Amino acid sequence: MKLSIIIPVYHTEKTLGRCMDSILSQSFKDYEILLVDDGSGNPCDQLCDDYGRKETRIRVIHQAHGGLSHARNTGIKLATGKHVTFIDSDDRIETGTLDRLMSILAVHPEYDILEYGAFVHYSNPNRQHVLRLGDHVFHSMYDYWLTGKVYAHSYVCNKVFRRTLFQGLSFPEGKSFEDMGILPALLERCKTVATTSAGLYYYYDNPQGITRMADGKQLGDLLQFHLQALTQLPPKDSVLYRQYYASVLNIQMDVYERTGQETKLKKMPFPSYALYPLYNFKLTLLNIFGTKWMCKWNRRIHSVYRRNR
């Protein structure tokens, strides 16, 4: 078996057909589908069983509701393919995607992870955009994280993984932004990662999804995952490192604005005094005044903006 496709299912009976059709219509067929029904109840669990009866490559697992991470972890434990990928049950993939991706991996068995493009927030004209990736190979995970700005698209759904990377690892349960919680640990085990312009994942916009509705606690999970990633990156006085640090600073300010909790992000490990571009200006203020002052300043500005709207 070349590929295991893990699909967590929870009350997505309206979109599961779209997702499954996009997979079953692929020309590549050497795969198994693990439909992990995470305590949906009828009619969703019945729909999963219907697919399992129609197609021998589909394995249906019913379990008590434990959340997205728990469902994915169940799928990983039961997967038998050389590679594994994840598709959410309200999303789909473009025609021909699996054949193109698996053809690349057949030629390049040294690739531990292959990342492909995604149509992000598809179906929402105000937010949708295409994440376009070139054909690149990375032997340094430091370069992959920063040059490709993977921290900004740490989704697991637009990536194909060597299954053995997950041995002893699991998605963090009871946490939000779980993709960011596992990807850095997976990259620590990689020697070669590639990106490709082939294929496309359609990540449908969800108005009730975590990226739209995250509260302070959930953003706090995201911040903690990024702080852990920063400890794994050797400090480097470079534009790319500064951009990432500024990105984490933005998350820290959002968390403080919503919770007022003690700040966790420290000053840069080296000074930053350039006034342009904007991320350097923010880091300059961070190094001069400290994180807490930056967070209070940000919250005050947002408060004034909301009052004047």
Side-chain angles (χ1 to χ4, degrees), residues 80-132:
T80 61
K82 181 178 179 181
H83 293 90
V84 61
T85 193
F86 303 88
I87 300 178
D88 286 346
S89 55
D90 54 354
D91 296 335
R92 66 180 174 91
I93 55 176
E94 187 176 65
T95 301
T97 291
L98 292 185
D99 185 61
R100 298 169 75 184
L101 296 177
M102 298 310 294
S103 294
I104 293 171
L105 290 171
V107 176
H108 295 282
E110 72 276 14
Y111 291 173
D112 295 303
I113 299 176
L114 179 62
E115 181 180 18
Y116 63 105
F119 205 144
V120 184
H121 297 300
Y122 184 74
S123 74
N124 185 337
N126 296 321
R127 302 189 73 214
Q128 65 184 22
H129 65 277
V130 180
L131 170 64
R132 301 188 186 278

Side-chain angles (χ1 to χ4, degrees), residues 1-217:
M1 184 73 61
K2 292 183 179 179
L3 180 65
S4 295
I5 304 171
I6 298 173
I7 306 176
V9 179
Y10 184 65
H11 293 306
T12 49
E13 58 273 5
K14 294 181 179 179
T15 60
L16 182 59
R18 176 181 70 200
C19 173
M20 294 297 292
D21 288 348
S22 76
I23 300 170
L24 296 174
S25 62
Q26 299 282 316
S27 56
F28 177 82
K29 299 296 183 182
D30 192 5
Y31 60 74
E32 62 176 355
I33 297 175
L34 291 96
L35 279 177
V36 185
D37 170 37
D38 193 43
S40 297
N42 281 327
C44 205
D45 59 353
Q46 184 61 51
L47 183 59
C48 291
D49 288 337
D50 290 344
Y51 275 111
R53 283 190 289 268
K54 293 176 184 176
E55 175 58 67
T56 58
R57 286 170 296 181
I58 299 176
R59 300 165 61 190
V60 179
I61 303 97
H62 297 288
Q63 64 180 28
H65 180 58
L68 178 60
S69 288
H70 184 54
R72 286 175 173 171
N73 289 335
T74 296
I76 291 169
K77 291 175 184 177
L78 298 175
T80 61
K82 181 178 179 181
H83 293 90
V84 61
T85 193
F86 303 88
I87 300 178
D88 286 346
S89 55
D90 54 354
D91 296 335
R92 66 180 174 91
I93 55 176
E94 187 176 65
T95 301
T97 291
L98 292 185
D99 185 61
R100 298 169 75 184
L101 296 177
M102 298 310 294
S103 294
I104 293 171
L105 290 171
V107 176
H108 295 282
E110 72 276 14
Y111 291 173
D112 295 303
I113 299 176
L114 179 62
E115 181 180 18
Y116 63 105
F119 205 144
V120 184
H121 297 300
Y122 184 74
S123 74
N124 185 337
N126 296 321
R127 302 189 73 214
Q128 65 184 22
H129 65 277
V130 180
L131 170 64
R132 301 188 186 278
L133 300 174
D135 301 312
H136 303 292
V137 178
F138 298 89
H139 300 291
S140 164
M141 299 306 104
Y142 186 99
D143 289 342
Y144 175 58
W145 190 255
L146 296 181
T147 304
K149 296 185 178 180
V150 182
Y151 56 84
H153 45 91
S154 58
Y155 331 115
V156 296
C157 289
N158 70 324
K159 299 171 180 66
V160 181
F161 302 86
R162 189 189 305 277
R163 182 171 59 86
T164 53
L165 292 175
F166 288 91
Q167 290 180 354
L169 286 180
S170 58
F171 285 89
E173 299 188 18
K175 299 286 185 180
S176 301
F177 298 98
E178 56 282 317
D179 292 8
M180 182 61 205
I182 196 172
L183 187 58
L186 291 169
L187 291 177
E188 280 195 319
R189 300 181 171 192
C190 293
K191 294 182 178 179
T192 306
V193 171
T195 62
T196 177
S197 57
L200 191 65
Y201 185 96
Y202 285 84
Y203 168 31
Y204 277 71
D205 185 73
N206 180 3
Q208 303 302 315
I210 186 65
T211 57
R212 298 280 291 276
M213 304 294 290
D215 58 22
K217 181 182 181 301

Side-chain angles (χ1 to χ4, degrees), residues 249 253 267-268 272-275 278-295 297-298 301:
L249 174 59
M253 290 191 295
K267 292 183 179 181
M268 289 278 286
S272 172
Y273 298 112
L275 298 181
L278 179 59
Y279 62 82
N280 266 354
F281 179 65
K282 283 186 176 181
L283 296 179
T284 299
L285 294 177
L286 172 66
N287 276 0
I288 294 174
F289 298 106
T291 311
K292 191 168 185 177
W293 181 92
M294 285 287 293
C295 289
W297 169 78
N298 177 73
I301 289 177

